[in-house]
Amino acid sequence: MIHKLTSEERSTQLAQLHGWVAVAGRDAIQRHFKFADFNEAFGFMTRVAIKAQEMDHHPEWFNVYNKVEITLSTHEANGLTERDIKLARFIDQAGKDAQKG
Amino acid sequence: MIHKLTSEERSTQLAQLHGWVAVAGRDAIQRHFKFADFNEAFGFMTRVAIKAQEMDHHPEWFNVYNKVEITLSTHEANGLTERDIKLARFIDQAGKDAQKG
């Protein structure tokens, strides 16, 4: 079974990410993105989808027009794991790439 | 301004769609899809995204793994319009195509 992050690991890792917040009532993290338009938002989502599939670790996400809300958690561990941090790092970079694109 | 459907038009149109339900407290419709896996779900979403962009009419949607929840409404009309019905028809077909794929 995949190792759930300890509080200390969690704090250290979260400090290195951008704009992620803890989800109330769940051991999960969430970030909101706002893009120029739907094309930019869905282009970003497509990059994240391909990465998620490669990692076999999928986000929970909501989109409307230029907005994307992403929640990460590891169901098997019932909480946050290294996989979430790795995917969050990719998402941060893909978001940055899309927004400057 | 785009014409908001009357109750009668709404009923007639909804009867021709598949599995759409009214959203509580909003003049909007929603349908839940379940696919074989994430690949099938996101493939479906990609077809819908391209159609939505072409129509300049975008869904509100949520995805986690093989599940997709789609809500349609026309913000400019503050309710349901012909555009929602047209997009819902495309979504029904794309869902069917993906699920038999």
Side-chain angles (χ1 to χ4, degrees), chain B residues 21-100:
Chain B
V21 294
V23 179
R26 283 184 63 188
D27 193 6
I29 53 172
Q30 190 172 66
R31 184 173 170 188
H32 291 210
F33 288 87
K34 194 169 177 181
F35 297 95
D37 53 27
F38 179 73
N39 185 306
E40 197 170 285
F42 200 79
F44 159 78
M45 288 176 73
T46 303
R47 285 194 66 199
V48 174
I50 294 170
K51 183 67 175 180
Q53 186 67 6
E54 177 193 302
M55 288 178 61
D56 192 21
H57 188 61
H58 303 86
E60 299 171 37
W61 48 4
F62 174 81
N63 160 247
V64 57
Y65 194 56
N66 63 340
K67 293 190 195 112
V68 183
E69 294 172 16
I70 309 183
T71 303
L72 299 178
S73 184
T74 303
H75 298 140
E76 305 94 294
N78 196 30
L80 224 57
T81 68
E82 185 55 49
R83 282 192 206 157
D84 298 302
I85 303 300
K86 190 179 164 191
L87 186 54
R89 267 195 223 111
F90 180 87
I91 288 170
D92 282 349
Q93 187 59 50
K96 221 163 119 181
D97 292 347
Q99 282 163 338
K100 79 180 169 200

Side-chain angles (χ1 to χ4, degrees), chain A residues 5-65:
Chain A
L5 296 181
T6 63
S7 314
E8 203 177 320
E9 287 169 333
R10 196 186 151 111
S11 304
T12 314
Q13 297 283 12
L14 277 179
Q16 294 167 42
L17 297 174
H18 301 279
W20 293 85
V21 294
V23 178
R26 283 184 64 188
D27 192 6
I29 53 172
Q30 189 172 68
R31 184 174 170 187
H32 291 210
F33 288 87
K34 194 169 178 180
F35 297 94
D37 52 27
F38 179 73
N39 185 307
E40 199 171 284
F42 199 79
F44 158 78
M45 288 177 74
T46 303
R47 285 195 65 199
V48 174
I50 293 169
K51 183 68 176 179
Q53 185 69 6
E54 177 193 301
M55 289 178 62
D56 192 21
H57 188 61
H58 303 88
E60 299 171 37
W61 49 4
F62 173 81
N63 160 247
V64 57
Y65 194 56

